[in-house]
Amino acid sequence: MKRSDLIRTIQVKFGRMREDDAAVIIDGMVKRLTDAVANGDRVEIRGFGRFLPRVRAPKETFNPRTGKPMHLDAGKTILFRPSNELIKEMNNADI
């Protein structure tokens, strides 16, 4: 699913909504979710899942091509945990 699909879905749901207005809704929602996770907050969308910020610890590893040791700095990442409803829906969907 692409951004344009989400915009079209909102337009259909709300009838006479302009495409620009639907795009503002999608962009505002994505911006708010992004800001929340970037600030270290947990974001939960009921029936879909949770986005959890995680901090990766620094570690020593090896370059697979050269075999030389290398240092990876600490960093941030996002963990997504799907809801039980989403998992059930995926398992019941025809593929």
Side-chain angles (χ1 to χ4, degrees), residues 8-53:
R8 202 168 302 112
T9 301
I10 290 175
Q11 283 182 288
V12 169
K13 178 74 174 176
F14 294 103
R16 298 182 181 175
M17 181 176 283
R18 292 184 1 224
E19 183 177 343
D20 293 342
D21 295 337
V24 168
I25 291 170
I26 295 295
D27 293 341
M29 184 181 76
V30 169
K31 175 72 172 140
R32 179 69 179 106
L33 294 172
T34 303
D35 290 345
V37 174
N39 289 331
D41 297 334
R42 175 183 136 172
V43 174
E44 182 175 344
I45 301 173
R46 299 281 171 137
F48 184 69
R50 295 175 294 180
F51 296 91
L52 306 160

Side-chain angles (χ1 to χ4, degrees), residues 5 11 13 15-16 19-20 23 27 38 45 51 55 57 59 63-65 69 72 81 87-88 93:
D5 297 330
Q11 283 182 288
K13 178 74 174 176
R16 298 182 181 175
E19 183 177 343
D20 293 342
D27 293 341
I45 301 173
F51 296 91
V55 177
K59 66 179 181 179
N63 183 327
R65 182 176 293 172
L72 293 178
R81 291 228 169 124
I87 293 170
K88 286 177 188 175

